[in-house]
Amino acid sequence: MAEPRAEVVIDLDAVRANVARLVELAGPAETMVVVKADGYGHGAVEVGRAALEAGASWLGTAALAEALQLRAAGIDAPVLCWLDAVGTDMRAAADAGIDVSVSTVEQLKAASGARLHLKVDTGLGRSGCPAALWPELVRAAAESGERVHAIWSHLACADVPGHPSIDAQAERFARAYGEALVAGLEPRRHIANSAATLTRPDLRFDMVRTGIAGYGLNPVPGGESLTPAMTFRSSVVSVKEIAAGESVSYGHTWTAERDTRLALVPVGYADGVPRLLSGRFSVLLNGERRPVRGRVCMDQIAVECDAATRPGDEVVLFGPGTRGEPTATEWAETIGTIDYEIVTGMYRSRVSRAYRGRR
Ligand SMILES: *Cc1c(COP(=O)(O)O)cnc(C)c1O
């Protein structure tokens, strides 16, 4: 097989270390590791296994299909999925032993045997039962005879510690819990994402649901040191010299002030390098940060290099930062997004994925 043009390398030892730290922080609450969107672009099955080895006891997904993929790979730990299309086959969830989320009485009626987590909207304004309808939902759930494992909710601003909405959501969650008890349920509770797990011990309840932190990216500035698990690498395909005054790439946005050596690297915006980074980023090439010149194209970038650079030399686009390479967080900050979007966007057909660390 030909060398891949580019690959993401996932360090499963880093995932295990991050998850072990989260499990330790969360205890005695259980830890669910969220592996939606193919494990935030890291590989749901591989990350799921590593997370369970590191002490997580649950996995979480958005779509039922993602949860079924874990079962198909032989993962038999508890799995919750929480967001699905109309007409989702709830029987398939029940048959596979997958817990599902329910936000309405209609969904409750369709549940057909899968264990349930009732979701209350405490202020995110997305899915979840509105507070006004909650007493009716918990009453219907209690009367239905369906198994209700937990009530749960999701926070809007946990990544801004001290944001007033966090306490407001916590208060509404407490009220919703009281109403569930009144209805005769004895549910567990979960509301904390990574940011809340790291900053709000009082919100860990019976389980935390950590996503991004397990992948080594910290949603709250400073604090816990985690190890980013994903490295995005490629290699030089060719090297050439251009004369002073010549320009590079579409739009000629960059012009060489002196004779310049350029290394061509076969990754572009089709491979997950945001075009918005054009003119604003560098890569690690032979141990040095080297600027990328001109616009990011669909399939390639041009990196300023020195006379020692050769075809085949490794180029690290982002990684944990330990060798001086950029991080996904640095990319995100440069273009005004979050690192979640950078890593989750890295699952692309032209970029292969490899694993490092014990599998
Ligand atoms: C994605 C998600 C999480 C994980 O969030 P992080 O910020 O990545 O920790 C937790 N709960 C729900 C409902 C989610 O959709």
Side-chain angles (χ1 to χ4, degrees):
M1 208 182 88
E3 276 282 289
R5 298 162 56 90
E7 63 178 1
V8 290
V9 182
I10 310 302
D11 181 352
L12 293 174
D13 290 339
V15 171
R16 273 186 286 265
N18 297 330
V19 171
R21 179 64 188 132
L22 294 167
V23 166
E24 183 184 20
L25 269 178
E30 292 190 276
T31 299
M32 168 190 289
V33 168
V34 180
V35 295
K36 63 192 179 191
D38 203 22
Y40 290 38
H42 296 65
V45 169
E46 288 81 357
V47 167
R49 285 197 188 112
L52 294 168
E53 283 170 20
S57 47
W58 283 76
L59 300 178
T61 70
L64 175 59
E66 297 176 312
L68 292 171
Q69 185 203 357
L70 300 173
R71 287 283 182 263
I75 293 176
D76 57 10
V79 175
L80 169 65
C81 72
W82 51 72
L83 191 71
D84 248 299
V86 175
T88 295
D89 183 359
M90 291 297 180
R91 180 80 60 189
D95 289 349
I98 290 162
D99 289 35
V100 298
S101 174
V102 158
S103 302
T104 67
V105 172
E106 290 67 42
Q107 287 173 349
L108 179 67
K109 286 180 182 149
S112 62
R115 195 168 59 170
L116 306 180
H117 297 229
L118 305 180
K119 183 174 191 190
V120 56
D121 181 2
T122 53
L124 180 58
R126 250 172 25 178
S127 64
C129 182
L133 303 178
W134 179 253
E136 184 192 339
L137 178 62
V138 287
R139 202 175 328 114
E143 284 165 5
S144 70
E146 300 283 348
R147 289 174 300 156
V148 175
H149 183 73
I151 68 160
W152 72 293
S153 194
H154 195 37
L155 296 166
C157 308
D159 56 339
V160 185
H163 193 286
S165 70
I166 304 170
D167 284 337
Q169 287 197 259
E171 226 164 89
R172 290 187 192 173
F173 194 51
R175 199 171 321 137
Y177 182 60
E179 288 162 349
L181 296 178
V182 166
L185 298 174
E186 289 177 5
R188 291 165 206 225
R189 279 171 288 177
H190 52 95
I191 191 169
N193 56 4
S194 294
T197 301
L198 295 168
T199 60
R200 291 289 301 251
D202 58 316
L203 299 184
R204 291 172 189 154
F205 296 111
D206 299 296
M207 180 165 77
V208 299
R209 305 185 309 269
T210 60
I212 199 75
Y215 303 97
L217 302 173
N218 195 329
V220 275
E224 200 66 31
S225 100
L226 302 163
T227 306
M230 181 185 285
T231 295
F232 181 20
R233 58 184 294 280
S234 182
S235 51
V236 173
V237 281
S238 65
V239 180
K240 69 171 179 190
E241 193 128 357
I242 62 165
E246 291 202 74
S247 300
V248 173
S249 192
Y250 293 122
H252 277 181
T253 56
W254 184 82
T255 301
E257 285 175 7
R258 51 194 157 73
D259 293 356
T260 302
R261 196 171 282 269
L262 292 175
L264 213 60
V265 183
V267 287
Y269 60 77
D271 306 292
V273 185
R275 187 169 174 278
L276 284 171
L277 282 175
S278 297
R280 300 197 272 170
F281 76 125
S282 57
V283 297
L284 192 75
L285 171 54
N286 292 331
E288 303 265 0
R289 282 277 196 120
R290 300 282 181 185
V292 180
R293 296 308 190 189
R295 283 199 182 137
V296 173
C297 305
M298 187 184 294
D299 314 306
Q300 51 190 287
I301 54 176
V303 178
E304 187 168 334
C305 64
D306 63 12
T309 303
R310 296 280 176 271
D313 287 353
E314 185 190 48
V315 173
V316 184
L317 289 112
F318 68 73
T322 43
R323 289 191 286 161
E325 73 277 15
T327 59
T329 308
E330 190 177 320
W331 275 22
E333 283 168 359
T334 302
I335 66 171
T337 184
I338 51 175
D339 44 25
Y340 292 70
E341 186 178 3
I342 301 293
V343 294
T344 303
M346 284 314 305
Y347 185 53
R348 296 176 186 249
S349 57
R350 221 162 58 172
V351 178
S352 61
R353 192 156 59 199
Y355 289 90
R356 189 161 56 210
R358 192 165 42 81
R359 289 188 82 165

